[in-house]
Coordinates of all heavy atoms in Angstrom, one line a residue:
M19 N 41.4 14.3 -12.7 CA 40.2 14.6 -13.4 C 39.4 13.4 -13.8 O 38.3 13.2 -13.6 CB 40.5 15.5 -14.6 CG 40.9 16.9 -14.1 SD 39.6 17.9 -13.3 CE 38.7 18.6 -14.6
I20 N 40.2 12.5 -14.5 CA 39.5 11.3 -15.0 C 38.9 10.4 -13.9 O 37.8 9.9 -14.0 CB 40.4 10.5 -16.0 CG1 40.8 11.4 -17.2 CG2 39.8 9.2 -16.4 CD1 41.9 10.8 -18.0
A21 N 39.7 10.3 -12.9 CA 39.3 9.4 -11.8 C 38.1 9.9 -11.1 O 37.1 9.1 -10.8 CB 40.5 9.4 -10.7
K22 N 37.9 11.3 -11.1 CA 36.7 11.8 -10.5 C 35.4 11.5 -11.2 O 34.4 11.2 -10.8 CB 36.8 13.3 -10.3 CG 37.6 13.8 -9.0 CD 37.6 15.3 -8.9 CE 38.5 15.7 -7.7 NZ 38.5 17.1 -7.6
V23 N 35.5 11.6 -12.6 CA 34.4 11.3 -13.4 C 33.9 9.9 -13.3 O 32.8 9.6 -13.1 CB 34.8 11.6 -14.9 CG1 33.7 11.1 -15.9 CG2 35.1 13.1 -15.2
N24 N 35.0 8.9 -13.2 CA 34.5 7.5 -13.1 C 33.9 7.3 -11.8 O 32.8 6.5 -11.6 CB 35.9 6.7 -13.1 CG 36.4 6.5 -14.5 OD1 35.6 6.8 -15.5 ND2 37.6 6.1 -14.7
Q25 N 34.2 8.0 -10.8 CA 33.6 7.7 -9.5 C 32.2 8.2 -9.5 O 31.2 7.6 -8.9 CB 34.4 8.4 -8.3 CG 35.5 7.7 -7.8 CD 36.4 8.5 -6.7 OE1 36.1 9.6 -6.5 NE2 37.3 7.8 -6.2
N26 N 31.9 9.2 -10.2 CA 30.5 9.7 -10.2 C 29.6 8.9 -11.1 O 28.4 8.8 -10.7 CB 30.6 11.3 -10.9 CG 31.2 12.2 -10.0 OD1 31.0 12.1 -8.8 ND2 31.5 13.3 -10.5
K27 N 30.2 8.1 -11.9 CA 29.4 7.3 -12.9 C 28.7 6.1 -12.1 O 27.6 5.7 -12.2 CB 30.2 6.7 -14.0 CG 30.1 7.6 -15.2 CD 31.0 7.0 -16.4 CE 31.0 8.0 -17.4 NZ 31.9 7.4 -18.6
T28 N 29.7 5.6 -11.2 CA 29.2 4.3 -10.4 C 28.6 4.8 -9.0 O 29.1 5.5 -8.4 CB 30.3 3.4 -10.1 OG1 31.4 4.1 -9.5 CG2 30.8 2.7 -11.3
N29 N 27.4 4.2 -8.8 CA 26.7 4.6 -7.4 C 26.4 3.3 -6.7 O 25.4 2.8 -7.0 CB 25.4 5.4 -7.8 CG 24.9 5.9 -6.5 OD1 25.3 5.8 -5.4 ND2 23.7 6.6 -6.6
P30 N 27.3 2.8 -6.0 CA 27.2 1.5 -5.2 C 26.1 1.5 -4.2 O 25.7 0.5 -3.7 CB 28.6 1.3 -4.6 CG 29.1 2.7 -4.4 CD 28.6 3.5 -5.7
T31 N 25.6 2.7 -3.8 CA 24.7 2.7 -2.7 C 23.2 2.4 -3.2 O 22.3 1.9 -2.5 CB 24.6 4.2 -2.1 OG1 24.3 5.1 -3.0 CG2 25.9 4.5 -1.4
T32 N 23.0 2.5 -4.6 CA 21.6 2.2 -5.1 C 21.2 0.8 -4.8 O 20.2 0.6 -4.3 CB 21.8 2.5 -6.6 OG1 22.2 3.7 -6.8 CG2 20.3 2.4 -7.1
L33 N 22.0 -0.2 -5.1 CA 21.7 -1.6 -4.9 C 21.3 -1.9 -3.5 O 20.2 -2.5 -3.2 CB 22.8 -2.5 -5.4 CG 22.4 -4.0 -5.6 CD1 21.3 -4.2 -6.5 CD2 23.6 -4.8 -5.9
S34 N 22.1 -1.5 -2.6 CA 21.9 -1.8 -1.1 C 20.6 -1.1 -0.7 O 19.8 -1.7 0.1 CB 23.1 -1.5 -0.3 OG 23.4 -0.1 -0.4
N35 N 20.4 0.0 -1.1 CA 19.2 0.8 -0.7 C 18.0 0.1 -1.2 O 17.0 -0.2 -0.5 CB 19.1 2.2 -1.4 CG 19.9 3.2 -0.6 OD1 20.4 2.9 0.5 ND2 20.3 4.3 -1.2
E36 N 17.9 -0.5 -2.4 CA 16.8 -1.3 -3.0 C 16.5 -2.5 -2.1 O 15.4 -3.0 -1.7 CB 17.0 -1.6 -4.4 CG 16.6 -0.4 -5.3 CD 16.9 -0.8 -6.7 OE1 17.3 -1.9 -7.0 OE2 16.8 0.1 -7.5
T37 N 17.6 -3.2 -1.8 CA 17.5 -4.4 -1.0 C 16.9 -4.2 0.4 O 16.0 -4.7 0.9 CB 18.9 -5.1 -0.7 OG1 19.5 -5.2 -2.0 CG2 18.8 -6.5 -0.1
G38 N 17.4 -3.0 1.0 CA 16.8 -2.6 2.3 C 15.3 -2.3 2.2 O 14.5 -2.8 3.1
L39 N 14.9 -1.7 1.1 CA 13.5 -1.4 1.0 C 12.7 -2.6 0.9 O 11.6 -2.8 1.4 CB 13.3 -0.5 -0.2 CG 13.3 1.0 0.0 CD1 13.3 1.8 -1.3 CD2 12.3 1.4 1.0
N40 N 13.1 -3.6 0.1 CA 12.4 -4.9 -0.2 C 12.2 -5.6 1.1 O 11.2 -6.1 1.4 CB 13.2 -5.7 -1.1 CG 12.9 -5.3 -2.6 OD1 12.0 -4.5 -2.8 ND2 13.9 -5.8 -3.4
E41 N 13.2 -5.7 1.9 CA 13.1 -6.4 3.2 C 12.2 -5.7 4.2 O 11.4 -6.4 4.9 CB 14.5 -6.4 4.0 CG 15.4 -7.5 3.3 CD 16.8 -7.4 3.9 OE1 17.1 -6.9 4.9 OE2 17.8 -8.2 3.3
E42 N 12.2 -4.3 4.1 CA 11.4 -3.6 5.0 C 9.8 -3.8 4.5 O 9.0 -3.9 5.3 CB 11.7 -2.0 4.8 CG 11.0 -1.3 6.0 CD 11.6 0.1 5.8 OE1 12.8 0.4 5.8 OE2 10.7 1.1 5.9
A43 N 9.6 -3.9 3.1 CA 8.3 -4.2 2.6 C 7.9 -5.5 3.1 O 6.6 -5.7 3.5 CB 8.4 -4.0 1.1
L44 N 8.7 -6.6 3.1 CA 8.3 -7.9 3.5 C 7.9 -7.9 5.0 O 6.9 -8.4 5.4 CB 9.4 -8.9 3.3 CG 9.2 -10.3 3.8 CD1 8.1 -10.8 2.9 CD2 10.4 -11.1 3.6
V45 N 8.7 -7.2 5.9 CA 8.4 -7.2 7.2 C 6.9 -6.4 7.6 O 6.2 -6.9 8.3 CB 9.4 -6.4 8.1 CG1 9.1 -6.1 9.4 CG2 10.8 -7.2 7.9
T46 N 6.8 -5.3 6.8 CA 5.5 -4.6 6.9 C 4.4 -5.5 6.5 O 3.4 -5.5 7.2 CB 5.6 -3.4 6.0 OG1 6.7 -2.6 6.4 CG2 4.2 -2.6 6.2
L47 N 4.6 -6.3 5.3 CA 3.5 -7.2 4.9 C 3.2 -8.2 6.0 O 2.0 -8.3 6.3 CB 4.0 -7.7 3.6 CG 3.1 -9.0 3.1 CD1 1.9 -8.4 2.4 CD2 3.9 -9.9 2.4
L48 N 4.2 -8.8 6.5 CA 3.8 -9.9 7.5 C 3.2 -9.3 8.8 O 2.4 -9.8 9.3 CB 5.2 -10.6 7.8 CG 5.8 -11.4 6.7 CD1 7.2 -12.0 7.1 CD2 4.8 -12.5 6.1
R49 N 3.8 -8.1 9.1 CA 3.3 -7.4 10.4 C 1.8 -7.1 10.1 O 0.9 -7.2 11.0 CB 4.0 -6.2 10.7 CG 3.7 -5.6 12.0 CD 4.6 -4.4 12.3 NE 5.9 -4.8 12.5 CZ 7.0 -4.0 12.1 NH1 6.8 -2.7 11.7 NH2 8.2 -4.3 12.3
N50 N 1.5 -6.5 8.9 CA 0.0 -6.1 8.6 C -0.9 -7.4 8.7 O -1.9 -7.4 9.2 CB 0.0 -5.5 7.3 CG 0.5 -4.1 7.3 OD1 0.7 -3.5 8.5 ND2 0.7 -3.4 6.2
S51 N -0.4 -8.5 8.0 CA -1.3 -9.7 8.1 C -1.5 -10.2 9.5 O -2.5 -10.7 9.7 CB -0.6 -10.6 7.2 OG 0.5 -11.2 7.8
Y52 N -0.5 -10.1 10.4 CA -0.6 -10.5 11.7 C -1.7 -9.7 12.5 O -2.5 -10.2 13.2 CB 0.8 -10.4 12.5 CG 0.7 -10.8 13.9 CD1 0.5 -12.2 14.3 CD2 0.7 -9.9 15.0 CE1 0.4 -12.6 15.6 CE2 0.7 -10.3 16.3 CZ 0.5 -11.6 16.6 OH 0.4 -12.0 17.9
E53 N -1.6 -8.4 12.3 CA -2.6 -7.4 12.8 C -4.0 -7.7 12.4 O -4.9 -7.7 13.1 CB -2.2 -6.0 12.6 CG -1.0 -5.6 13.4 CD -0.5 -4.2 13.1 OE1 -1.1 -3.5 12.3 OE2 0.5 -3.7 13.6
L54 N -4.2 -7.9 11.1 CA -5.3 -8.3 10.5 C -6.0 -9.5 11.1 O -7.1 -9.7 11.5 CB -5.3 -8.6 9.0 CG -5.4 -7.3 8.2 CD1 -5.2 -7.6 6.7 CD2 -6.9 -6.7 8.2
Q55 N -5.0 -10.6 11.3 CA -5.4 -11.8 11.9 C -5.9 -11.6 13.3 O -6.9 -12.2 13.8 CB -4.1 -12.7 11.9 CG -4.4 -14.0 12.8 CD -3.0 -14.6 13.0 OE1 -2.0 -14.4 12.2 NE2 -2.8 -15.3 14.1
Q56 N -5.3 -10.8 14.1 CA -5.8 -10.3 15.5 C -7.2 -9.8 15.4 O -8.0 -10.2 16.2 CB -4.8 -9.4 16.1 CG -3.4 -10.0 16.4 CD -3.3 -11.0 17.4 OE1 -3.5 -12.3 17.0 NE2 -3.1 -10.8 18.6
Q57 N -7.4 -9.0 14.5 CA -8.7 -8.3 14.4 C -9.8 -9.2 14.1 O -10.8 -9.3 14.7 CB -8.7 -7.1 13.2 CG -7.8 -5.9 13.8 CD -7.7 -4.9 12.7 OE1 -8.3 -5.0 11.6 NE2 -7.0 -3.9 12.9
E58 N -9.5 -10.2 13.1 CA -10.6 -11.1 12.7 C -10.7 -12.1 13.9 O -12.0 -12.5 14.0 CB -10.0 -11.9 11.5 CG -10.1 -11.0 10.2 CD -9.9 -11.8 8.9 OE1 -9.8 -13.1 9.0 OE2 -9.9 -11.2 7.9
T59 N -9.8 -12.4 14.7 CA -10.0 -13.3 15.7 C -10.9 -12.7 16.7 O -11.8 -13.4 17.2 CB -8.6 -13.6 16.5 OG1 -7.7 -14.1 15.4 CG2 -8.7 -14.6 17.6
Q60 N -10.8 -11.4 17.0 CA -11.7 -10.8 17.9 C -13.2 -10.8 17.4 O -14.2 -11.0 18.1 CB -11.3 -9.4 18.1 CG -10.0 -9.3 19.0 CD -9.5 -7.8 19.2 OE1 -10.1 -6.9 18.6 NE2 -8.5 -7.6 20.0
E61 N -13.4 -10.5 16.1 CA -14.7 -10.5 15.4 C -15.3 -11.9 15.6 O -16.5 -12.0 15.9 CB -14.6 -10.0 13.9 CG -14.3 -8.6 13.9 CD -14.0 -8.1 12.5 OE1 -14.4 -8.9 11.5 OE2 -13.7 -7.0 12.3
E62 N -14.5 -12.8 15.3 CA -15.1 -14.2 15.3 C -15.5 -14.6 16.7 O -16.5 -15.4 16.9 CB -14.0 -15.2 14.7 CG -13.9 -15.1 13.2 CD -13.4 -16.4 12.6 OE1 -13.1 -17.3 13.3 OE2 -13.2 -16.3 11.4
E63 N -14.7 -14.3 17.7 CA -15.1 -14.6 19.1 C -16.3 -13.9 19.4 O -17.2 -14.4 20.2 CB -14.0 -14.1 20.0 CG -12.8 -15.0 20.0 CD -11.6 -14.5 20.9 OE1 -11.8 -13.4 21.4 OE2 -10.7 -15.3 21.0
E64 N -16.6 -12.7 19.0 CA -17.9 -12.0 19.3 C -19.0 -12.8 18.6 O -20.2 -13.0 19.3 CB -17.9 -10.5 18.7 CG -17.1 -9.6 19.7 CD -17.0 -8.3 19.1 OE1 -17.8 -7.9 18.2 OE2 -16.0 -7.6 19.5
E65 N -18.9 -13.3 17.4 CA -19.9 -13.9 16.7 C -20.3 -15.3 17.4 O -21.4 -15.8 17.4 CB -19.5 -14.2 15.2 CG -19.6 -13.0 14.5 CD -18.9 -13.2 13.0 OE1 -18.7 -14.4 12.7 OE2 -18.8 -12.3 12.3
E66 N -19.3 -15.9 18.1 CA -19.4 -17.2 18.5 C -19.9 -17.2 20.1 O -19.9 -18.1 20.7 CB -18.1 -18.0 18.6 CG -17.8 -18.5 17.2 CD -16.5 -19.1 17.0 OE1 -15.6 -19.1 18.0 OE2 -16.2 -19.7 15.9
E67 N -20.2 -15.9 20.6 CA -20.6 -16.0 22.0 C -21.8 -16.7 22.2 O -22.1 -17.1 23.3 CB -20.9 -14.4 22.3 CG -19.5 -13.7 22.8 CD -19.8 -12.3 23.3 OE1 -21.0 -12.0 23.6 OE2 -18.8 -11.6 23.3
E68 N -22.7 -16.7 21.2 CA -23.9 -17.6 21.5 C -23.6 -19.0 21.7 O -24.2 -19.8 22.4 CB -24.9 -17.4 20.2 CG -25.5 -16.0 20.2 CD -26.2 -15.7 18.9 OE1 -26.5 -16.7 18.3 OE2 -26.4 -14.6 18.5
E69 N -22.6 -19.6 21.0 CA -22.2 -20.9 21.1 C -20.9 -21.0 22.1 O -19.9 -20.9 21.6 CB -21.9 -21.5 19.8 CG -23.1 -21.4 18.8 CD -22.6 -21.8 17.4 OE1 -22.1 -22.8 17.2 OE2 -22.8 -20.9 16.5
E70 N -21.2 -21.1 23.3 CA -20.1 -21.1 24.3 C -19.1 -22.2 24.1 O -17.9 -22.0 24.2 CB -20.7 -21.2 25.7 CG -21.5 -19.9 26.1 CD -22.0 -20.0 27.5 OE1 -21.7 -21.0 28.2 OE2 -22.8 -19.1 27.9
E71 N -19.6 -23.4 23.7 CA -18.5 -24.4 23.5 C -17.7 -24.2 22.4 O -16.5 -24.7 22.2 CB -19.4 -25.8 23.3 CG -20.0 -26.3 24.4 CD -20.8 -27.6 24.3 OE1 -20.6 -28.1 23.3 OE2 -21.6 -27.9 25.2
E72 N -18.2 -23.5 21.3 CA -17.4 -23.2 20.1 C -16.2 -22.3 20.4 O -15.1 -22.4 19.8 CB -18.3 -22.6 19.0 CG -19.2 -23.5 18.4 CD -18.6 -24.5 17.4 OE1 -18.3 -24.1 16.3 OE2 -18.4 -25.6 17.8
E73 N -16.3 -21.4 21.5 CA -15.2 -20.5 21.6 C -13.9 -21.2 21.9 O -12.8 -20.8 21.5 CB -15.6 -19.7 22.9 CG -16.4 -18.4 22.5 CD -16.6 -17.6 23.8 OE1 -15.6 -17.2 24.4 OE2 -17.8 -17.1 24.1
T74 N -14.0 -22.4 22.6 CA -12.7 -23.0 22.9 C -12.0 -23.6 21.7 O -10.8 -24.0 21.7 CB -12.9 -24.1 24.0 OG1 -13.9 -25.1 23.5 CG2 -13.3 -23.5 25.3
K75 N -12.8 -23.8 20.7 CA -12.3 -24.4 19.5 C -11.6 -23.5 18.5 O -11.2 -23.9 17.4 CB -13.4 -25.2 18.8 CG -14.0 -26.4 19.4 CD -15.1 -27.0 18.6 CE -15.8 -28.2 19.3 NZ -16.8 -28.7 18.7
T76 N -11.7 -22.2 18.8 CA -11.0 -21.2 17.9 C -9.7 -21.6 17.5 O -8.8 -21.8 18.2 CB -11.0 -19.8 18.6 OG1 -12.2 -19.5 19.1 CG2 -10.6 -18.7 17.6
S77 N -9.5 -21.9 16.1 CA -8.3 -22.4 15.6 C -7.5 -21.2 15.0 O -7.8 -20.7 13.9 CB -8.6 -23.4 14.6 OG -7.3 -23.6 13.8
Q78 N -6.4 -20.8 15.6 CA -5.7 -19.6 15.2 C -4.9 -20.0 14.0 O -4.6 -19.2 13.0 CB -4.7 -19.1 16.3 CG -5.6 -18.5 17.3 CD -4.6 -17.8 18.4 OE1 -3.4 -18.2 18.5 NE2 -5.2 -16.9 19.3
N79 N -4.5 -21.2 13.9 CA -3.7 -21.7 12.7 C -4.4 -21.6 11.4 O -3.9 -21.1 10.5 CB -3.2 -23.2 12.9 CG -2.1 -23.2 13.9 OD1 -1.3 -22.2 14.1 ND2 -1.9 -24.5 14.5
S80 N -5.6 -22.0 11.3 CA -6.3 -22.0 10.2 C -6.6 -20.5 9.7 O -6.6 -20.2 8.5 CB -7.8 -22.7 10.3 OG -8.5 -22.0 11.1
I81 N -6.9 -19.6 10.6 CA -7.0 -18.2 10.3 C -5.7 -17.6 9.7 O -5.8 -17.0 8.7 CB -7.4 -17.4 11.5 CG1 -8.8 -17.8 12.1 CG2 -7.5 -15.9 11.3 CD1 -9.1 -17.3 13.4
A82 N -4.6 -18.0 10.4 CA -3.3 -17.4 9.8 C -3.1 -17.9 8.4 O -2.6 -17.2 7.6 CB -2.2 -17.9 10.7
N83 N -3.4 -19.2 8.2 CA -3.1 -19.7 6.8 C -4.0 -18.9 5.8 O -3.6 -18.8 4.6 CB -3.5 -21.2 6.8 CG -2.3 -22.0 7.2 OD1 -1.2 -21.5 7.3 ND2 -2.5 -23.3 7.6
E84 N -5.2 -18.6 6.2 CA -6.0 -17.9 5.2 C -5.7 -16.4 4.8 O -6.2 -15.8 4.0 CB -7.5 -18.1 5.6 CG -8.1 -19.4 5.5 CD -9.4 -19.6 6.0 OE1 -10.0 -18.6 6.4 OE2 -9.9 -20.7 6.2
E85 N -4.9 -16.0 5.9 CA -4.6 -14.4 5.7 C -3.9 -14.2 4.4 O -4.4 -13.3 3.7 CB -3.6 -14.1 6.8 CG -4.3 -13.4 8.0 CD -5.4 -12.6 7.7 OE1 -5.2 -11.6 6.9 OE2 -6.5 -12.8 8.1
I86 N -2.9 -14.9 4.0 CA -2.3 -14.6 2.8 C -2.6 -15.6 1.7 O -2.2 -16.8 1.8 CB -0.7 -14.6 2.9 CG1 -0.4 -13.6 4.2 CG2 0.1 -14.1 1.7 CD1 1.2 -13.7 4.5
R87 N -3.5 -15.4 0.8 CA -4.0 -16.3 -0.2 C -3.1 -16.3 -1.4 O -3.1 -17.3 -2.1 CB -5.4 -15.9 -0.5 CG -6.3 -16.3 0.6 CD -7.8 -15.9 0.3 NE -8.6 -16.1 1.5 CZ -9.8 -15.6 1.6 NH1 -10.4 -14.9 0.6 NH2 -10.6 -15.8 2.6
E88 N -2.5 -15.2 -1.7 CA -1.6 -15.2 -2.9 C -0.3 -14.4 -2.6 O -0.4 -13.7 -1.6 CB -2.4 -14.6 -4.0 CG -2.8 -13.1 -3.8 CD -3.5 -12.6 -5.1 OE1 -4.1 -13.3 -5.6 OE2 -3.6 -11.4 -5.1
C89 N 0.7 -14.7 -3.4 CA 1.9 -14.1 -3.3 C 1.8 -12.6 -3.7 O 1.4 -12.2 -4.8 CB 3.0 -14.7 -4.1 SG 4.5 -13.8 -4.1
P90 N 2.1 -11.6 -2.7 CA 2.1 -10.3 -3.1 C 3.1 -9.8 -4.1 O 3.1 -8.7 -4.6 CB 2.4 -9.6 -1.6 CG 3.1 -10.5 -0.9 CD 2.7 -12.0 -1.5
M91 N 4.1 -10.6 -4.3 CA 5.1 -10.3 -5.3 C 4.8 -10.7 -6.7 O 5.1 -10.0 -7.6 CB 6.6 -10.9 -4.8 CG 7.0 -10.5 -3.4 SD 7.1 -8.7 -3.2 CE 8.5 -8.5 -4.4
C92 N 4.4 -12.0 -6.9 CA 4.2 -12.5 -8.2 C 2.6 -12.8 -8.4 O 2.2 -13.2 -9.5 CB 5.0 -13.8 -8.5 SG 4.6 -15.2 -7.6
Y93 N 1.8 -12.6 -7.4 CA 0.3 -12.9 -7.5 C 0.0 -14.2 -7.8 O -1.1 -14.6 -8.3 CB -0.3 -11.8 -8.5 CG 0.0 -10.4 -8.1 CD1 0.9 -9.7 -8.8 CD2 -0.8 -9.8 -7.0 CE1 1.2 -8.3 -8.4 CE2 -0.5 -8.6 -6.7 CZ 0.4 -7.8 -7.3 OH 0.7 -6.5 -7.0
W94 N 0.9 -15.2 -7.4 CA 0.7 -16.7 -7.6 C -0.3 -17.1 -6.5 O 0.0 -16.8 -5.3 CB 1.9 -17.4 -7.7 CG 1.7 -18.9 -7.6 CD1 1.1 -19.7 -8.5 CD2 2.2 -19.8 -6.6 NE1 1.1 -20.9 -8.2 CE2 1.7 -21.1 -7.0 CE3 2.9 -19.7 -5.4 CZ2 2.0 -22.2 -6.3 CZ3 3.2 -20.8 -4.6 CH2 2.8 -22.1 -5.1
E95 N -1.4 -17.6 -6.7 CA -2.3 -18.1 -5.6 C -1.8 -19.3 -5.0 O -1.5 -20.3 -5.7 CB -3.6 -18.4 -6.3 CG -4.8 -18.4 -5.2 CD -6.2 -18.3 -5.9 OE1 -6.3 -17.9 -7.0 OE2 -7.1 -19.0 -5.2
F96 N -1.6 -19.3 -3.6 CA -1.1 -20.3 -3.0 C -2.0 -21.6 -2.9 O -3.2 -21.4 -2.8 CB -0.7 -20.0 -1.5 CG 0.4 -19.0 -1.3 CD1 0.1 -17.8 -0.7 CD2 1.6 -19.2 -1.9 CE1 1.0 -16.8 -0.5 CE2 2.6 -18.2 -1.9 CZ 2.3 -17.0 -1.2
P97 N -1.4 -22.8 -3.0 CA -2.4 -24.1 -2.9 C -3.0 -24.1 -1.5 O -2.3 -23.5 -0.6 CB -1.4 -25.2 -3.1 CG -0.2 -24.6 -3.8 CD 0.0 -23.1 -3.4
K98 N -4.1 -24.7 -1.3 CA -4.8 -24.6 0.0 C -4.0 -25.3 1.1 O -4.0 -25.0 2.2 CB -6.1 -25.4 -0.1 CG -7.1 -24.4 -0.8 CD -8.5 -25.1 -0.9 CE -9.5 -24.1 -1.5 NZ -10.8 -24.9 -1.7
Q99 N -3.2 -26.4 0.6 CA -2.4 -27.2 1.6 C -1.2 -26.4 2.0 O -0.4 -26.9 3.0 CB -2.0 -28.6 1.1 CG -1.0 -28.5 -0.1 CD -1.6 -28.4 -1.4 OE1 -2.8 -28.0 -1.6 NE2 -0.9 -28.8 -2.4
F100 N -0.9 -25.3 1.5 CA 0.3 -24.5 1.9 C 0.2 -24.0 3.2 O -0.9 -23.5 3.6 CB 0.5 -23.2 1.0 CG 1.6 -23.4 0.0 CD1 1.9 -24.7 -0.6 CD2 2.5 -22.4 -0.3 CE1 3.1 -24.7 -1.4 CE2 3.5 -22.5 -1.1 CZ 3.8 -23.7 -1.7
T101 N 1.1 -24.3 4.1 CA 1.1 -23.7 5.4 C 1.7 -22.2 5.5 O 2.2 -21.8 4.4 CB 2.1 -24.5 6.4 OG1 3.4 -24.4 6.0 CG2 1.6 -26.0 6.4
L102 N 1.5 -21.5 6.5 CA 2.1 -20.2 6.7 C 3.4 -20.2 6.4 O 4.1 -19.3 5.8 CB 1.7 -19.5 8.0 CG 1.9 -18.0 8.1 CD1 1.0 -17.2 7.1 CD2 1.6 -17.6 9.5
E103 N 4.1 -21.2 6.9 CA 5.6 -21.4 6.7 C 5.9 -21.4 5.3 O 7.0 -20.8 4.7 CB 6.0 -22.5 7.5 CG 7.5 -22.4 7.9 CD 7.8 -21.3 8.8 OE1 7.0 -20.9 9.6 OE2 9.0 -20.7 8.7
N104 N 5.2 -22.2 4.5 CA 5.4 -22.5 3.2 C 5.3 -21.2 2.4 O 6.0 -20.8 1.5 CB 4.4 -23.5 2.5 CG 4.7 -24.9 3.0 OD1 3.7 -25.6 3.3 ND2 5.9 -25.2 3.2
K105 N 4.3 -20.4 2.7 CA 4.0 -19.1 2.1 C 5.1 -18.1 2.3 O 5.6 -17.5 1.4 CB 2.7 -18.5 2.6 CG 1.4 -19.3 2.1 CD 0.3 -18.9 2.8 CE -1.0 -19.8 2.6 NZ -2.1 -19.5 3.3
K106 N 5.6 -18.1 3.6 CA 6.7 -17.2 3.8 C 7.9 -17.6 3.1 O 8.6 -16.8 2.6 CB 7.0 -17.3 5.4 CG 6.1 -16.4 6.3 CD 6.5 -16.6 7.7 CE 5.6 -15.9 8.7 NZ 5.9 -16.2 10.1
E107 N 8.2 -18.9 3.0 CA 9.4 -19.4 2.3 C 9.2 -18.8 0.8 O 10.3 -18.5 0.2 CB 9.4 -20.9 2.3 CG 10.1 -21.4 3.6 CD 10.2 -22.9 3.6 OE1 10.1 -23.6 2.6 OE2 10.2 -23.4 4.8
H108 N 8.1 -19.0 0.2 CA 8.0 -18.6 -1.1 C 8.1 -17.2 -1.3 O 8.9 -16.8 -2.2 CB 6.5 -19.0 -1.7 CG 6.3 -18.3 -3.1 ND1 6.6 -19.0 -4.2 CD2 5.7 -17.2 -3.3 CE1 6.2 -18.1 -5.2 NE2 5.6 -17.2 -4.8
I109 N 7.6 -16.4 -0.4 CA 7.7 -14.9 -0.6 C 9.2 -14.5 -0.3 O 9.7 -13.6 -1.1 CB 6.8 -14.2 0.5 CG1 5.3 -14.5 0.3 CG2 7.1 -12.7 0.5 CD1 4.5 -14.0 1.3
E110 N 9.8 -15.2 0.6 CA 11.2 -14.8 0.8 C 12.0 -15.1 -0.4 O 13.3 -14.5 -0.5 CB 11.7 -15.5 2.1 CG 11.2 -14.8 3.4 CD 11.4 -15.6 4.6 OE1 12.0 -16.7 4.5 OE2 11.0 -15.1 5.6
K111 N 11.7 -16.0 -1.2 CA 12.4 -16.4 -2.4 C 12.6 -15.2 -3.3 O 13.6 -14.9 -4.0 CB 11.8 -17.4 -3.1 CG 12.2 -18.9 -2.5 CD 11.6 -20.0 -3.5 CE 11.7 -21.3 -2.8 NZ 10.9 -22.3 -3.5
H112 N 11.6 -14.4 -3.3 CA 11.7 -13.1 -4.2 C 12.8 -12.1 -3.6 O 13.2 -11.2 -4.4 CB 10.4 -12.4 -4.2 CG 9.3 -13.2 -4.8 ND1 9.3 -13.3 -6.3 CD2 8.2 -13.8 -4.4 CE1 8.2 -14.0 -6.5 NE2 7.6 -14.4 -5.5
F113 N 13.2 -12.2 -2.4 CA 14.2 -11.3 -1.9 C 15.6 -12.0 -1.7 O 16.4 -11.3 -1.3 CB 13.7 -10.8 -0.4 CG 12.4 -10.2 -0.4 CD1 11.2 -10.9 -0.2 CD2 12.3 -8.9 -0.6 CE1 9.9 -10.3 -0.2 CE2 11.1 -8.2 -0.7 CZ 9.9 -8.9 -0.4
A114 N 15.6 -13.2 -2.2 CA 16.9 -13.9 -2.1 C 17.9 -13.3 -3.2 O 17.4 -13.0 -4.2 CB 16.8 -15.3 -2.2
Ligands
ZN6 ZN1 5.7 -15.2 -5.6

C-alpha cells in the first residue's frame, strides 16, 4: 500500500516532456525564420528587377542575420555583429 502511494507522488515523465516541447519550439522557431527569409528574398528580387545588375548581388547572409533580432527566450537584443551562428548558440543555451 505504502509503495503504491509513493509511486503516484513522483511523476518522472513531466521533466522529459517539457524538454521535448522546448526543443520542438526551437526547431519550429528556426524553421519559421527560414521560411520568412525565403519569402523576403523573393520580394526583394521583385523590387530589384529594375536594376538588373543588383540582382546578382543579393546577399542571403545579411538577410538571415536580420531575421532574428532578439532572443525569443529572454528578449535580449542581439548585437549587430552577431552572426546567425552566434544567435543560435545563445538561444540553444536556454535549452541546455
Ligand atoms: Zn536569450
Side-chain angles (χ1 to χ4, degrees):
M19 289 296 279
I20 294 169
K22 277 186 181 176
V23 173
N24 283 342
Q25 278 179 355
N26 285 340
K27 275 182 182 176
T28 54
N29 188 1
T31 57
T32 307
L33 187 64
S34 60
N35 278 347
E36 282 178 4
T37 308
L39 270 177
N40 283 343
E41 285 176 5
E42 198 174 308
L44 177 63
V45 170
T46 304
L47 170 82
L48 294 176
R49 189 178 297 150
N50 284 345
S51 69
Y52 178 74
E53 284 172 4
L54 272 174
Q55 173 192 332
Q56 297 291 89
Q57 288 173 6
E58 286 193 4
T59 304
Q60 286 179 357
E61 284 175 14
E62 287 200 4
E63 279 176 2
E64 285 176 17
E65 287 174 9
E66 286 176 349
E67 270 182 22
E68 292 175 14
E69 306 166 54
E70 288 179 12
E71 287 181 12
E72 287 286 284
E73 273 189 50
T74 54
K75 291 181 183 174
T76 307
S77 168
Q78 291 184 345
N79 282 339
S80 66
I81 294 171
N83 276 340
E84 287 171 13
E85 262 323 301
I86 308 176
R87 286 176 188 168
E88 60 180 26
C89 172
M91 302 302 295
C92 69
Y93 300 104
W94 172 60
E95 200 170 328
F96 293 126
K98 283 182 180 178
Q99 69 269 21
F100 251 42
T101 64
L102 190 62
E103 204 64 27
N104 292 141
K105 295 170 184 176
K106 279 181 185 174
E107 277 179 21
H108 170 86
I109 295 172
E110 279 167 3
K111 277 182 191 171
H112 292 291
F113 300 92

